[in-house]
Amino acid sequence: MLETVLSIVQVAISVVLIFLVLMHSGKDAGLSGAFGVGGGTGPLGGGSLVERNLNRWTVAFAILFAVNTIILLKLS
């Protein structure tokens, strides 16, 4: 039962993590340009604060992904 719940959580974390990584601006500005994250100004205010928060969320979800993976490996 616990393994099933953690597997579902793993899939949800994976989807969110993929979305967060795609939101980061790269050489081509990626998907972040579509939402105004990559530019200096946008609908969400200054790009630097938004980028910093995006980095924090990405790191947090990456850590959650790693911890959940380790727990799933220990359970099986």
Side-chain angles (χ1 to χ4, degrees), residues 14-62:
S14 300
V15 170
V16 172
L17 189 58
I18 289 169
F19 179 73
L20 287 171
V21 168
L22 288 176
M23 286 290 292
H24 281 276
S25 60
K27 293 179 183 175
D28 300 335
L31 289 177
S32 64
F35 299 103
V37 177
T41 61
L44 300 174
S48 63
L49 178 63
V50 175
E51 284 286 338
R52 215 171 334 156
N53 287 334
L54 184 62
N55 289 339
R56 290 177 184 155
W57 280 102
T58 305
V59 169
F61 272 91

